[in-house]
Amino acid sequence: MPPDIAVTHISPAEAQAASRLEKLFSRGNAFLGSRVAILGGAMSWVSERHLVAAISNAGGFGVIACGAMGPALLEAEIAATQALTQKPFGVNLITMHPQLDELIAVCVRAGVTHIVLAGGIPSGPAVRAVKDGGAKLICFAPALVLARRFEKSGADALVIEGSEAGGHIGPVSLTVLAQEILPHIRKIPVFVAGGIGRGDAILAYLEMGAAGAQLGTRFAASRESIAHPNFKRAFVRANARDALPSVQLDARFPVIPVRGLVNEGTKRFLEMQAETVRRFQAGEVGKEAAQLEIEHFWAGALRRAVIEGDVENGSVMAGQSVGMVTKEQSIAEIIEELIEQAIAALAQRA
Ligand SMILES: Cc1cc2nc3c(=O)[nH]c(=O)nc-3n(C[C@H](O)[C@H](O)[C@H](O)COP(=O)(O)O)c2cc1C
């Protein structure tokens, strides 16, 4: 049995499977400095010091979600995470953050080894600032053309996130993205995300050429997650079909798709859009103001659900993988379960 994938009471077939899994994870582990190349995807309000440190301490790779934090808050969060873990972890920055340069500088000064630039195509200066600072750059590639562009322009690794994921999503499923991108991007590691809840699924993507996987939803409901008990309970109760993308009512007023649990808030969002479109058509409100009203509907809503526990009116972002959250587990339990499922799937073939 390889020393790094710890499984007790294993048969020879399982030992062989563990060794094979170790090999499949080896590129991702070498890149992340982890024991298992499973990233805890950054989740605003959820991915803070405790969850990030717990994921890295359990052998995975935690990622702080900077979200709307300013430089001082981010600096404190990084220091607090470093106090809780000796293991590497990353920081996810949103490209359109008005203080992106300062946030990158904070990460570099604190010795953060991996920076994820999310929410858009990073600018040349942002890419250079990360690289010149000595950190590894991870980008999100929603299509093969962009994956190729990032590979050329200096990204050290990519995440491909399918529309099954929780939070802001693109239009294409991971099943398709993986087929489109994995065979063609070989120079840098590619991590898969979206809808992953089991180890055998991770194994399938590793065998297709992925370097590892990124999970959000399963970790959000973990014991170490600071999310409100109501938020975690909603995850445990929900099925895959409850995690739906936000609905856009009128082509003139675009809505960025966000996948989350359907609740009173999502119903009111539809009613609100209908009323706003009516007022626009009646000439009571201008187009720009109407668009802003629609965009502002969810302002602060994720915090309301995650921190305050208002899962009826807040935004309960969750991936379709939510159906595989069946109880509140520790991060270590979740990671070991994922590894065991992958090993069992491999061993069964022997
Ligand atoms: C509650 C929640 C909040 C999220 N917030 C962010 C975010 O701030 N930035 C980001 O890049 N991704 C965000 N994500 C996406 C995750 O990082 C991850 O890629 C996704 O959850 C993977 O799919 P899964 O939920 O099916 O595991 C969020 C996901 C969830 C569930």
Side-chain angles (χ1 to χ4, degrees):
M1 190 187 82
D4 282 339
I5 290 187
V7 183
T8 47
H9 315 301
I10 63 171
S11 67
E14 283 168 335
Q16 218 176 7
S19 167
R20 168 93 184 115
L21 185 63
E22 182 83 9
K23 281 201 191 85
L24 287 166
F25 270 134
S26 61
R27 191 179 186 201
N29 284 335
F31 175 76
L32 297 169
S34 56
R35 179 173 65 87
V36 265
I38 295 176
L39 296 100
M43 295 175 278
S44 293
W45 295 108
V46 183
S47 298
E48 48 66 77
R49 59 192 79 171
H50 299 98
L51 186 69
V52 173
I55 293 171
S56 289
N57 284 337
F61 186 85
V63 181
I64 293 175
C66 175
M69 268 186 234
L73 273 182
L74 179 64
E75 192 170 7
E77 201 57 44
I78 293 170
T81 309
Q82 285 168 335
L84 295 173
T85 183
Q86 306 286 315
K87 306 274 192 244
F89 61 87
V91 174
N92 175 302
L93 305 174
I94 311 284
T95 51
M96 58 254 202
H97 194 297
Q99 291 171 293
L100 181 63
D101 298 350
E102 288 146 88
L103 297 172
I104 293 174
V106 163
C107 292
V108 166
R109 266 204 311 277
V112 170
T113 51
H114 298 68
I115 297 177
V116 186
L117 291 180
I121 299 174
S123 68
V127 169
R128 270 194 302 282
V130 171
K131 310 272 294 182
D132 292 350
K136 290 180 179 140
L137 172 64
I138 306 175
C139 295
F140 280 86
L144 180 59
V145 277
L146 282 171
R148 287 201 161 117
R149 194 163 134 191
F150 290 147
E151 192 184 31
K152 277 203 192 100
S153 63
D156 297 298
L158 300 177
V159 175
I160 57 173
E161 187 191 61
S163 56
E164 304 93 326
H168 292 81
I169 51 170
V172 184
S173 69
L174 178 59
T175 327
V176 170
L177 280 182
Q179 295 172 76
E180 282 185 356
I181 296 178
L182 291 177
H184 304 290
I185 303 293
R186 291 296 188 193
K187 288 194 197 121
I188 54 174
V190 181
F191 298 91
V192 290
I196 298 175
R198 287 185 55 97
D200 23 24
I202 296 176
L203 170 67
Y205 287 114
L206 291 173
E207 290 185 320
M208 286 175 74
Q214 166 164 305
L215 278 67
T217 296
R218 282 213 61 190
F219 293 140
S222 67
R223 201 164 298 145
E224 291 88 342
S225 158
I226 59 147
H228 194 282
N230 292 351
F231 190 88
K232 296 186 194 179
R233 258 196 302 274
F235 271 43
V236 172
R237 285 198 192 121
N239 296 309
R241 63 178 57 214
D242 302 319
L244 297 180
S246 45
V247 177
Q248 173 183 313
L249 209 60
D250 190 299
R252 290 168 296 182
F253 297 100
V255 167
I256 299 171
V258 172
R259 187 180 295 284
L261 299 186
V262 172
N263 61 9
E264 274 307 311
T266 57
K267 278 183 216 152
R268 274 198 299 109
F269 184 48
L270 272 182
E271 290 160 11
M272 182 267 179
Q273 285 184 75
E275 174 60 11
T276 308
V277 171
R278 187 201 63 73
R279 282 168 49 233
F280 168 69
Q281 276 164 343
E284 293 167 24
V285 63
K287 186 150 190 294
E288 224 167 276
Q291 179 68 42
L292 271 181
E293 281 181 23
I294 290 172
E295 280 169 17
H296 283 170
F297 181 86
W298 290 111
L302 181 60
R303 185 185 185 283
R304 217 176 308 144
V306 172
I307 305 295
E308 293 166 21
D310 183 357
V311 292
E312 268 317 316
N313 302 293
S315 169
V316 191
M317 292 183 188
Q320 292 181 330
S321 48
V322 75
M324 286 172 271
V325 176
T326 54
K327 55 181 184 265
E328 192 178 317
Q329 292 172 288
S330 74
I331 292 289
E333 273 166 34
I334 295 171
I335 289 183
E336 292 317 315
E337 188 181 285
L338 294 168
I339 293 172
E340 281 169 22
Q341 287 163 343
I343 290 176
L346 272 169
Q348 252 173 13
R349 298 185 201 153

